[in-house]
Amino acid sequence: MSRTRPSSATRSVAREVFLLQLVLVVLLVAAAVVAIVVQSRRDTMTDARHRTLAAAESFAHSWGLQKALNSNDPTAKLQPLAEAARRASGVDALIVYKLDGITLTHSDPRQIGKHVIGPYADAARGKPFTRTFQGALGLSVISAAPVKDSSGRVIAIVSAPVTVEKVQKSVNQQLPIFLGTAVVALALAGGGAGLVSRRLSRQTHGLGPAEMTRMYEHHDAVLHAVREGVLIVGRDGRLLLANDEARRLLDLPTDAEGRQVGDLGLDHRTAELLASDRIATDEVHLAQDRLLALNKRSTSPYGAHQGSVVTLRDTTELRWLSGRAEMARERLRLLYDAGVRIGSTLNVERTAEDLAQVAVPGFADIVTVELLDPVLKGEEPAVAGTEMRRTAIAGLAADHPLHPVGELMGFAPGAAAAGGVDQGRSRVEPDLAGTADWRSQDPERARRILDHGVHSLAVVPLRARGVVLGRVEFWRYGSSPPFDEEDLSFAEELAGRAAVGIDNARRYTRERTMAMTLQRSLMPRGLPDQDALEVAHRYLPAQAGVGGDWFDVIPLPGARVALVIGDVVGHGLHAAATMGRLRIAVHNFSALDLSPDELLRHLDELVTHIDVQDEDAAEATAITGATCLYVVYDSVSGQVTAATAGHLPPAVAHPDGRVEFLHPPVSPPLGLGTGLPFETAELTLPEGSRLVLYTDGLVESRSRDLDAGLEALGAALAGPDSAPEDTCATVMQALLPARSADDVALLVARTRRLDPAHVAEWDVPRDPEAVGTVRKNCARQLADWGLQDVAFGTELILSELVTNAIRYGAEPIHVRLLHTRTLICEVSDGSSTSPHIRQAKDTDEEGRGLFLVAQFAEQWGTRYSSRGKTIWAAQAVGPDDQS
């Protein structure tokens, strides 16, 4: 508790006392000065009277005065004597005159011989007198004394006047002494008042009058009205203060204050604490039939006198309530922990284990969880069954007598062991030993459970959305109290929260299973046979669920192969379904033998069209966010042509160990509807180069940015040449994070070149007679390859295609034969017009050329280039016919 400090606008008691003392001292000093001044004025008048009278009488009774008066020239004799006496006495003049008033002596010689006028009758009658008058020189005092002869007759008068101002000057010479003395007295008095005020300030802690008044007015009320006992004990162990509540709680005698605490009849432990220097916080002490909570602190930080202050409160009535409150706090903390922990993973078994572990040992000693088999598979049970599989156990050692995890348990409907789960009801069994129904289910196991010390059971169904998913059993053994109805209510609350988590995990498991099934059905189950590339791949779904990463290898006519990889943003069924739609679309567009940029343009238009159609659906989600990389490799020329729609660039590992990234011009992801064209990048690779296509889940994560991931990929690919399978393993080991949050797709293809001996090509002039030359050259080449069995069909195909090129096409005309797994005939010309197959009528003389080509070839088609078009036809070649 902090001490009260006066504000700057509030005067403290010490300050007011100091000011009061200072005012009193100033007033006293001022009064003393005034009194001294007044007294000095009175003394001045008195001194003037005494001085003049003494001077007059002294001169009147001086020796030889009568003789001088009786001389012929009294003035000559008396004037020097009078002036000497005047100067010695400090009066203004000594005037001697006869009874006729003629002046004999005067301080002003001009007045000698003149007649004196004044009230001198008393002097003439032989009596001295003193009078005050206002003269020309100011207020003056004059005294007169008679001069008598030997017979006592007055013969002359001596007067001595003096001005009050002259006497005052002599008094004023003493006034600085008085004032200095007053100032010294004032300083001493002020210093004393300051010392007193300083000590008073320390005693009152600088409190103001209102605060002091409030403190002392409320002191007794606060001290004795609180419901807590307050004691103040001195350092010597004496009780200095005790309020009424402390006297009541400790039953103190009336004269307790001032006595040693050991003499007050307190409990030995309590008296020892009060007399010691030990600090205490909520220590429980026994006082007769009361339980008191004692708090003890030292008073030294708050007062000059060291001691201890002790507070006491009666906790007897609060013990039971505090126990209940503590249990309620523990239950709330347990529910909070359950809410944080249960359902944090979308795994049914893990969620059941979290439920079992969070309830032990805070609520139960043993917890077992059983779930229906459909729930474990992610399916939704139609009705609650009596057969459940034990999924989790917590709180028992390995040799426990309960059913182990994974065992299928069956109970009779409505039995105590089933806990009413088949009806969706909870049940509590406080005493298992006395429950015959529970023991009759499995007597031997029941005996072993009871021998283990288990004595109480609470069974609660796990129910979510009105469907029973399983049940949870809470067991107590040993000294733990049996379950009651209040415990059952808490168990139901805990089980209800866990059931929501289990149901969410079940639904997630179902969706993930469906998504994985869908994805597996849509992903390529095997790589197609082709001779242009040696391919290996890896796909790893994310920990959070199935995503939209996909890849494909598509053989193309002309000894070419297309490599495709893509990524759909998101996870789950929508991502898997979107991936399947895009993969099918790419396959369809590849059948048209489009260039990579044209294929991505058509794919982007398709995605945009799908998004527009899906806007009408209530729960449709746009595909926007999908990326795709399309790469075509030509094994004849070794040329790679790549185009991207927002995807990461492919990596190229050269046979010499050098690694580079092929960066096609940047294009937006699919479905944005920007209308921007897609562009291609071309690169010619030597045989044995490795093309690496990947998704962002491999090179980018929360702990690694994209640039660092690409650098790590380049480092993993660098070095000596390796097989694609080995490359996949190396890259996955080097870059794959421990717990991937995204799908990872990796496609590695090592290039091969078609043997130049298996390629034959000729330039054809635009002359109908050149058709025969082409057929002869074709027959000769097929004979060299040992393909005489297909020579007739090949010659027919070539003659029809070359004839069409000469008749309807444009130069240059070029023929190429490729001997791979099939025999491919290609005829190129400079025209972009595309031929169409049709059924010729009986009367038509033309129009049967492409029909014949389709009859003899397995496949045929047209592809376009910047120089025109190429019409190709492929024929199957038997293994015995290949060289």
Side-chain angles (χ1 to χ4, degrees), residues 841-853:
K841 297 179 181 179
D842 294 339
T843 58
D844 290 341
E845 297 182 359
E846 298 177 349
R848 296 178 177 83
L850 290 180
F851 184 79
L852 294 175
V853 170

Side-chain angles (χ1 to χ4, degrees), residues 524-780:
R525 300 184 181 181
L527 298 179
D529 292 334
Q530 46 81 33
D531 297 326
L533 296 171
E534 180 185 357
V535 182
H537 62 88
R538 293 289 189 276
Y539 174 76
L540 183 67
Q543 295 290 337
V546 176
D549 290 9
W550 57 283
F551 62 89
D552 217 333
V553 178
I554 306 173
L556 298 177
R560 295 174 302 127
V561 177
L563 301 176
V564 191
I565 194 164
D567 187 1
V568 177
V569 175
H571 297 86
L573 283 173
H574 173 73
T578 301
M579 177 272 293
R581 298 167 79 177
L582 294 180
R583 180 171 178 264
I584 294 172
V586 170
H587 267 273
N588 292 335
F589 290 137
S590 297
L592 300 177
D593 207 356
L594 301 174
S595 62
D597 54 334
E598 285 295 313
L599 184 141
L600 290 183
R601 183 178 64 81
H602 286 291
L603 189 63
D604 180 60
E605 293 176 354
L606 174 64
V607 171
T608 304
H609 181 68
I610 292 175
D611 285 345
V612 172
Q613 289 182 337
D614 288 345
E615 287 180 357
D616 298 333
E619 299 181 357
T621 305
I623 306 178
T624 303
T627 64
C628 183
L629 173 65
Y630 190 82
V631 179
V632 175
Y633 173 69
D634 189 344
S635 62
V636 177
S637 63
Q639 187 179 57
V640 172
T641 305
T644 180
H647 201 82
L648 296 174
V652 179
H654 294 270
D656 58 1
R658 181 170 53 90
V659 178
E660 65 175 323
F661 288 91
L662 178 60
H663 290 279
V666 178
S667 299
L670 300 173
L672 295 183
T674 60
L676 297 176
F678 294 92
E679 300 181 48
T680 60
E682 296 181 352
L683 180 66
T684 301
L685 299 179
E687 187 173 8
S689 300
R690 286 168 293 166
L691 277 169
V692 181
L693 285 66
Y694 51 91
T695 56
D696 57 355
L698 180 67
V699 295
E700 188 176 15
S701 65
R702 294 180 179 178
S703 59
R704 181 176 60 197
D705 60 20
L706 180 59
D707 292 337
L710 293 177
E711 184 177 354
L713 176 61
L717 294 175
D721 183 29
S722 61
E725 280 291 339
D726 297 335
T727 303
C728 286
T730 301
V731 170
M732 296 295 282
Q733 182 179 3
L735 277 77
L736 189 65
R739 188 175 180 84
S740 177
D742 196 4
D743 290 13
V744 175
L746 176 65
L747 189 63
V748 179
R750 184 160 61 180
T751 61
R752 297 170 179 165
R753 284 290 187 93
L754 184 62
D755 188 353
H758 288 184
V759 179
E761 50 189 338
W762 308 278
D763 291 326
V764 180
R766 192 172 182 181
D767 184 357
E769 295 181 358
V771 176
T773 304
V774 171
R775 294 184 65 171
K776 292 177 182 179
N777 294 335
C778 174
R780 189 183 307 111

Side-chain angles (χ1 to χ4, degrees), residues 302-436:
Y302 307 99
H305 301 285
Q306 291 187 356
S308 301
V309 58
V310 181
T311 59
L312 311 94
R313 66 177 183 274
D314 190 356
T315 62
T316 306
E317 298 177 356
L318 298 178
R319 296 295 290 178
W320 182 81
L321 291 178
S322 63
R324 300 287 295 176
E326 182 63 27
M327 184 176 67
R329 282 195 297 269
E330 290 295 331
R331 296 286 173 85
L332 288 175
R333 187 180 299 110
L334 186 60
L335 287 177
Y336 173 78
D337 293 341
V340 171
R341 184 172 179 180
I342 298 176
S344 59
T345 60
L346 294 175
N347 182 280
V348 176
E349 291 83 357
R350 182 57 184 168
T351 304
E353 292 173 0
D354 291 339
L355 168 61
Q357 293 171 2
V358 79
V360 175
F363 177 67
D365 299 316
I366 307 168
V367 176
T368 58
V369 181
E370 291 85 38
L371 298 176
L372 297 170
D373 269 348
V375 175
L376 293 171
K377 298 175 182 178
E379 302 172 2
E380 185 167 351
V383 294
T386 58
E387 286 191 345
M388 299 183 186
R389 193 171 300 278
R390 178 147 291 171
T391 309
I393 294 179
L396 276 181
D399 59 345
H400 63 82
L402 300 178
H403 292 276
V405 173
E407 184 171 331
L408 189 63
M409 304 168 58
F411 302 97
V421 173
D422 51 336
Q423 290 88 23
R425 294 182 291 103
S426 303
R427 179 175 295 183
V428 61
E429 296 293 342
D431 183 15
L432 284 177
T435 306

Side-chain angles (χ1 to χ4, degrees), residues 27-49:
L27 291 177
L28 289 175
V29 172
V33 172
V34 171
I36 290 173
V37 171
V38 173
Q39 184 65 34
S40 66
R41 289 185 178 180
R42 293 182 59 187
D43 291 346
T44 299
M45 298 301 295
T46 303
D47 183 64
R49 292 187 182 98

